[in-house]
Amino acid sequence: MNNKTKIFEISGAIITGLLKFVLFDIFGQKLIFIVLAISFWTGYIIYKARRDKSIFAYWGFSKNNIRPAFVLTSLFALLSFAFIIIYGAINHTLYFNFHIILSFVTYPFWGLIQQFLTMSLIAGNLYHLDNIKIPKSLIIT
């Protein structure tokens, strides 16, 4: 991948972060922002993957250890969900809210996109820029 593409991806991730502040924090359009960001970046991933199958390895996506990671995070999520229900029932604050369903459905995808933007597009591309060497410690910070 050339520097132009790396800088484009870094810029796109930064613009996404700036749009988060505008749409999410200033205008309160959380769902619209999340759906747009997930849609755009999913489309970009599909576009890049069709052009280059090895891009997943470059971005750090791997099948290694996916099962144990999925099992552990799913167990944690189920225990957390059970705790929330029990706590709400004990304190008489348990009620159904449509927004929580949207959160449970969209957050796993949004969390994955956030990790992809920060770890793969920003940190990964900064590390792999040609002719510009940024120390790992600075990139991680």
Side-chain angles (χ1 to χ4, degrees):
M1 185 179 330
N2 62 36
N3 263 10
K4 209 174 193 181
T5 302
K6 293 171 190 169
I7 291 170
F8 171 78
E9 290 179 350
I10 292 167
S11 300
I14 291 170
I15 290 169
T16 301
L18 294 173
L19 284 173
K20 183 263 183 203
F21 288 111
V22 173
L23 291 175
F24 204 97
D25 298 330
I26 295 173
F27 293 110
Q29 299 299 314
K30 297 176 182 179
L31 182 62
I32 290 172
F33 168 74
I34 291 171
V35 169
L36 288 174
I38 290 171
S39 300
F40 174 80
W41 286 110
T42 300
Y44 183 74
I45 291 167
I46 291 168
Y47 167 77
K48 291 291 283 191
R50 285 187 176 159
R51 297 185 73 208
D52 179 8
K53 300 287 185 207
S54 68
I55 195 70
F56 288 113
Y58 175 79
W59 282 336
F61 289 106
S62 169
K63 292 181 183 177
N64 298 343
N65 299 320
I66 196 163
R67 178 170 283 174
F70 179 78
V71 169
L72 284 173
T73 54
S74 296
L75 180 61
F76 179 77
L78 289 173
L79 289 172
S80 298
F81 187 65
F83 176 77
I84 291 167
I85 291 173
I86 292 167
Y87 181 84
I90 289 171
N91 291 293
H92 306 290
T93 58
L94 185 64
Y95 63 94
F96 177 78
N97 186 328
F98 181 69
H99 291 100
I100 196 72
I101 301 299
L102 288 174
S103 296
F104 280 129
V105 170
T106 59
Y107 190 77
F109 299 107
W110 177 230
L112 183 62
I113 294 295
Q114 288 178 59
Q115 284 298 111
F116 167 69
L117 293 174
T118 56
M119 300 302 294
S120 299
L121 296 190
I122 295 176
N125 282 331
L126 283 174
Y127 182 73
H128 290 105
L129 282 173
D130 300 326
N131 303 323
I132 302 171
K133 291 301 169 199
I134 303 171
K136 268 188 188 180
S137 58
L138 187 60
I139 292 171
I140 294 170
T141 307

